[in-house]
């Protein structure tokens, strides 16, 4: 005879509670007992009750649930169940954090993380094998577009597994705020119907509504060369700039540019010459919007680092040489102001394309989805790496599915407003896959390869490296708890299957691009897991948040260009500039979408501060607490630094980084 004290916690989300009856069983090593509680499964509440069991159940292994209904299957979101056994027994925790639906029996194992065992008669081994078999039927791969990473098999958000869907608050906020922004867009369009649209100042007519302080700064200073250069280091896309080691072969310097060549050579020798080459856009077909042809270019911009840390453009080549134009026009800061401004606008438009498609969609969203699907297919809930990763895949499948059906779909936002839309964006993504290497996702390797280490003004680079180190310590703390030796890593079939699933399946044979197909040591596991968490959190934060600041003032980052690139300087007029930049409808759409996607999410979970307790052991919880302390210390350092800056860099403040890709 023994008394058990049981607590049943219901999620805090809208509609988490249920009016249905729930049956519970306690399963121990020496028996099981059915409970007959009259639970009130209310949102955000915890039910407690005691149970007298006539026999000794032994160490508790599972709690089994069965939700019963007659007419309406009222889904219940169960957070967790805790059980205090008789005498001095330790409290056992059974994590759930999922929806309970239908009439089937759900078995929740005791929350201690366990590696796969060789003993097939072990009840936990049988449970994990059954769980993976079921999950692999639910989480299936699909080919969204040939040549791109695989995705979850879901044609629309309603096809997704319930536990990958937005919670109701998130759904309502996402859909209602988008509708509100669409109304704002229509009002702006109506407001400008009877107005002139032939000067840069006319963009002020739509520059109202939701915007940030930095967006206002961009509005005031976007034409300055200093701000133009700054964006390559710390703007929405800090991923393209690299230190020049030799003058690019595509930079054709015609007769009469000897002074420029000498300046470039001098900066090169001093190690202060940098470049941003958009050659990936060369040959990409441009969109046709409402019957009007749009235009694309593949610019090259050379920049110099001043002793005071300012990065300033020296020359812009809008298009690479070709057989019909072996020496393209070079645009210089000394050119007529409108010609130089238009050249910079072509660079900013090209940066918009690579930022959104290569560095945002491909390198964070699609990679995060591969990690998420592989995790659900290969790692059972008892696996320590599942417990480590699952907080970092929240909402990723739904936000990506929405993007595929609304943003980059046929007749989606890209087709309506962006010059790579209409098919060019897919061609660009396929070409970008070749540059998606393992090293490109790891800041220590990527920044070293681009020559950006040790630059005082490279704030993204500095903060990314600090976060990488902090995440690496966190990962190592968890991995070393459960893998005491390298041979334990090599002998873990679930971990090895997860690795292969990501590289060979999800990323489509990416071993040729440096991704591993197996882990031979604890260090290899730690490095790969650090990449996974960094990509799903910090890197996405750095790439996503800047849209609101840098793209709200449309001339700073035009989503499309409506006239061909200039080939002469003297003929560029204000009419040329305005005729090239997006029209009113395209500009309104750009402002609406970038605000919607770049804003802070109301239900945002900061990095490392998820409320779910997947680990039940004190050592793992101590590792998480240390991670949170390290993040807080970095937060304080960044806050103190930013007080000294004219342009604070906040995208990698830990409190601004979401715990997963959710938007």
């Amino acid at each position: 005879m023994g008394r058990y004290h049981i607590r049943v916690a219901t999620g805090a989300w809208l509609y988490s509670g249920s009016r249905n009856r729930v049956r519970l069983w306690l399963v121990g090593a020496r028996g099981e007992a059915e409970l007959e509680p009259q639970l009130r499964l209310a949102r955000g509440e915890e039910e407690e009750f005691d149970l007298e069991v006539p026999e000794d159940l032994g160490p508790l292994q599972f709690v089994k649930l069965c939700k019963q209904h007659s007419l309406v299957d009222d889904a219940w979101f169960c957070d967790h169940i805790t059980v205090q056994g008789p005498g001095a027994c330790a409290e056992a925790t059974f994590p759930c954090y999922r929806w309970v639906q239908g009439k089937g029996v759900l078995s929740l194992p005791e929350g201690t993380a366990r590696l796969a065992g060789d003993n097939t008669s072990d009840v936990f081994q049988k449970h994990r094998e059954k769980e993976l078999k079921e999950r692999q039927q639910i989480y299936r791969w699909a080919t969204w577009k040939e040549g791109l990473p695989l995705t979850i098999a879901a044609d629309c958000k309603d096809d997704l597994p319930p536990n990958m869907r937005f919670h109701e608050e998130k759904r309502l906020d996402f859909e209602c705020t988008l509708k509100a922004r669409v109304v704002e867009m229509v009002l702006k369009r109506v407001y400008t119907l009877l107005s002139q649209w032939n000067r840069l100042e006319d963009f002020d007519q739509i520059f109202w509504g939701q915007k940030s302080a930095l967006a206002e700064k961009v509005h005031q200073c976007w034409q300055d060369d200093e701000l133009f250069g700054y964006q390559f280091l710390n703007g929405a896309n800090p991923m393209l700039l690299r230190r020049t080691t030799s003058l690019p072969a595509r930079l054709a310097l015609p007769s009469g540019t000897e002074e420029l060549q000498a300046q470039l050579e001098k900066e090169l020798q001093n190690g202060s010459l940098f470049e941003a080459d958009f050659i990936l856009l060369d040959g990409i077909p441009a969109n046709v919007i409402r019957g009007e042809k749009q235009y694309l270019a593949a610019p090259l911009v050379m920049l110099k680092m001043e002793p005071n840390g300012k990065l300033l453009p020296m020359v812009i080549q809008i298009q690479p040489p070709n057989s019909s134009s072996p020496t393209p026009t070079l645009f210089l800061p000394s050119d007529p102001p409108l010609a130089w401004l238009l050249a910079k606008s072509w660079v900013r438009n090209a940066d918009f394309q690579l930022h959104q498609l290569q560095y945002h969609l491909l390198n964070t969203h699609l990679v995060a989805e591969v990690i998420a699907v592989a995790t659900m297919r290969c790692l059972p809930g008892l696996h320590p790496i599942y417990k480590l990763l699952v907080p970092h895949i929240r909402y990723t499948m739904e936000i990506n599915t929405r993007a595929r059906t609304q943003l980059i779909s046929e007749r989606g936002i890209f087709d309506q407003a962006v010059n790579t839309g209409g098919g060019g964006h897919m061609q660009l993504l396929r070409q970008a896959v070749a540059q998606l290497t393992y090293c490109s996702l790891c800041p220590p390797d990527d920044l070293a390869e681009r020559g950006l280490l040790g630059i005082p003004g490279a704030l993204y680079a500095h903060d990314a490296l600090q976060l990488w180190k902090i995440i690496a310590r966190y990962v190592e703390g968890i991995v070393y708890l459960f893998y005491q030796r390298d041979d334990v890593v090599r002998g873990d079939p679930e971990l090895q299957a997860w690795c292969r699933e990501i590289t060979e399946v999800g990323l489509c044979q990416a071993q040729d691009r440096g991704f591993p197909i197996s882990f031979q040591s604890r260090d290899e596991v730690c490095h790969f897991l650090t990449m996974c968490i960094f990509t799903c959190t910090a890197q996405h934060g750095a790439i996503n948040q800047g849209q609101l600041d840098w793209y709200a003032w449309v001339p700073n980052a035009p989503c499309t260009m409506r006239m061909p690139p200039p080939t002469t300087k003297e003929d560029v007029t204000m009419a040329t500039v305005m005729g090239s930049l997006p029209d009113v409808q395209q500009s309104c759409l750009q402002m609406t979408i970038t605000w919607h996607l770049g804003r802070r999410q109301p239900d945002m979970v900061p990095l490392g501060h998820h409320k779910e307790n997947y680990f039940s052991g004190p050592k793992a919880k101590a590792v998480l607490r240390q991670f949170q302390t390290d993040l807080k210390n970095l937060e304080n350092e960044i806050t103190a630094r930013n007080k000294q800056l004219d342009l604070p860099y906040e995208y990698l403040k830990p409190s601004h980084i979401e715990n997963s890709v959710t938007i």
Side-chain angles (χ1 to χ4, degrees), residues 21-42:
R21 178 172 175 265
V22 173
R23 297 172 63 193
L24 300 178
W25 292 263
L26 296 183
V27 181
R30 291 190 286 273
E32 68 177 70
E34 182 176 356
L35 318 183
E36 294 290 343
Q38 296 297 316
L39 295 178
R40 180 176 174 271
L41 303 174

Side-chain angles (χ1 to χ4, degrees), residues 370-657:
V370 167
I371 294 166
V373 176
T375 298
M376 298 308 294
R377 286 177 56 83
C378 298
L379 298 177
L382 283 169
H383 201 289
I385 305 307
Y386 174 87
K387 293 175 179 287
L388 173 69
L389 287 178
V390 70
H392 305 295
I393 65 175
R394 172 180 181 252
Y395 293 163
T396 300
M397 294 184 201
E398 174 152 352
I399 194 61
N400 283 9
T401 301
R402 285 178 179 263
R404 285 190 288 272
T405 56
Q406 300 172 13
L407 187 65
I408 47 179
S409 58
E410 188 175 349
R411 294 185 294 276
I413 302 300
F414 260 72
D415 282 6
Q416 295 177 44
V418 183
N419 51 347
T420 49
H425 55 326
M426 293 303 159
Q427 184 174 325
L428 176 59
L429 281 168
R430 290 187 185 97
Q431 293 178 194
V433 167
Q435 297 181 7
L436 177 58
T437 64
Y438 186 21
C439 287
S440 72
L441 300 179
C442 304
D445 302 317
D446 173 63
L447 292 167
E449 193 272 332
R450 293 195 285 136
L452 299 185
L453 297 176
I455 299 175
L459 305 178
Y460 160 79
H462 175 271
D463 294 354
L465 288 174
Q466 294 300 107
L467 278 161
W468 177 272
K469 293 175 184 176
I470 290 171
I471 293 171
R473 284 197 295 271
Y474 170 52
V475 167
E476 183 178 291
I478 295 296
V479 169
Y480 276 51
L481 279 179
F482 297 96
Y483 296 91
Q484 286 73 35
R485 304 177 310 278
D486 290 344
D487 64 294
V488 182
V489 167
R490 293 191 292 270
D492 184 346
E494 294 166 343
L495 181 69
Q496 300 293 346
W498 176 74
C499 177
R500 290 192 302 273
E501 189 91 355
I502 289 175
T503 298
E504 295 186 337
V505 182
L507 293 178
C508 305
Q509 306 298 324
Q511 57 266 42
D512 293 341
R513 288 177 272 123
F515 289 87
I517 56 173
S518 66
F519 298 128
Q520 300 302 312
S521 68
R522 295 187 295 175
D523 288 347
E524 289 181 4
V525 175
C526 290
H527 192 78
F528 192 80
L529 287 169
T530 302
M531 179 277 293
C532 291
I533 295 176
F534 184 88
T535 298
C536 296
T537 60
Q539 184 61 20
H540 180 256
I543 294 298
N544 182 71
Q545 294 177 60
Q547 296 177 96
L548 179 60
D549 297 325
W550 298 101
Y551 293 174
W553 178 248
V554 173
N556 182 64
C559 59
T560 190
M561 300 295 275
R562 298 183 294 125
M563 291 179 65
T567 55
T568 62
K569 306 175 183 182
E570 293 73 19
D571 297 336
V572 176
T573 65
M574 181 57 71
T576 313
V577 174
M578 291 300 292
S580 298
L581 294 176
D583 63 22
V584 178
Q585 185 168 331
Q586 294 160 345
S587 298
C588 289
L589 193 55
Q590 173 177 327
M591 292 182 68
T592 295
I593 296 304
T594 54
W595 179 86
H596 186 60
L597 299 180
R599 70 191 176 98
R600 185 181 177 94
Q601 299 301 294
D603 67 341
M604 182 257 201
V605 177
L607 174 60
H609 286 79
H610 45 277
K611 294 180 173 61
E612 298 87 356
N613 292 311
Y614 289 98
F615 287 102
S616 61
K619 292 182 179 179
K621 291 181 178 179
V623 172
L624 177 60
R625 286 195 299 272
Q626 183 60 52
F627 181 43
Q628 294 168 345
T629 299
D630 291 345
L631 291 171
K632 180 61 177 176
N633 292 337
L634 178 60
E635 176 97 6
N636 294 337
E637 291 174 17
I638 293 175
T639 299
R641 177 201 68 197
N642 284 348
K643 289 179 180 179
Q644 312 300 317
L645 301 175
D646 293 332
L647 285 179
Y649 183 77
E650 300 202 319
Y651 304 142
L652 289 180
K653 284 181 74 170
S655 64
H656 290 206
I657 299 169

Side-chain angles (χ1 to χ4, degrees), residues 256-408:
T257 59
E258 289 78 14
E259 182 179 349
L260 172 63
Q261 183 167 0
Q263 291 174 341
L264 292 169
E265 293 285 359
K266 177 184 175 183
E267 300 295 339
L268 179 64
Q269 294 302 317
N270 291 339
S272 53
L273 187 64
F274 294 80
E275 65 190 75
D277 192 348
F278 298 87
I279 196 64
L280 199 63
L281 289 164
D282 190 32
I284 300 297
N287 198 3
V288 176
I289 300 176
R290 301 191 303 277
E292 292 187 11
K293 179 174 172 54
Q294 310 295 294
Y295 295 87
L296 266 172
L300 168 70
V301 55
M302 306 299 297
L303 308 101
K304 63 178 178 180
M305 182 73 72
E306 298 275 291
N308 60 8
K310 294 180 180 178
L311 187 65
L312 300 176
M314 297 180 67
V315 58
I316 292 172
Q317 179 195 73
I318 297 181
Q319 290 283 43
N322 57 54
S323 56
S324 61
S325 177
T327 54
T329 303
L330 299 180
F331 291 81
L332 307 171
S334 57
D335 287 341
L338 287 177
W340 178 236
L341 181 64
L342 185 56
K344 290 191 293 182
S345 294
W346 275 100
V347 172
R348 297 298 306 136
N349 169 257
D351 199 47
F352 180 99
Q353 313 307 320
L354 293 193
H355 167 241
Q356 295 288 22
L357 293 169
Q358 180 178 18
Y359 297 110
H360 188 189
L361 175 60
L362 176 63
N363 288 20
T364 61
H365 278 262
L366 296 185
V367 170
E369 186 171 358
V370 167
I371 294 166
V373 176
T375 298
M376 298 308 294
R377 286 177 56 83
C378 298
L379 298 177
L382 283 169
H383 201 289
I385 305 307
Y386 174 87
K387 293 175 179 287
L388 173 69
L389 287 178
V390 70
H392 305 295
I393 65 175
R394 172 180 181 252
Y395 293 163
T396 300
M397 294 184 201
E398 174 152 352
I399 194 61
N400 283 9
T401 301
R402 285 178 179 263
R404 285 190 288 272
T405 56
Q406 300 172 13
L407 187 65
I408 47 179

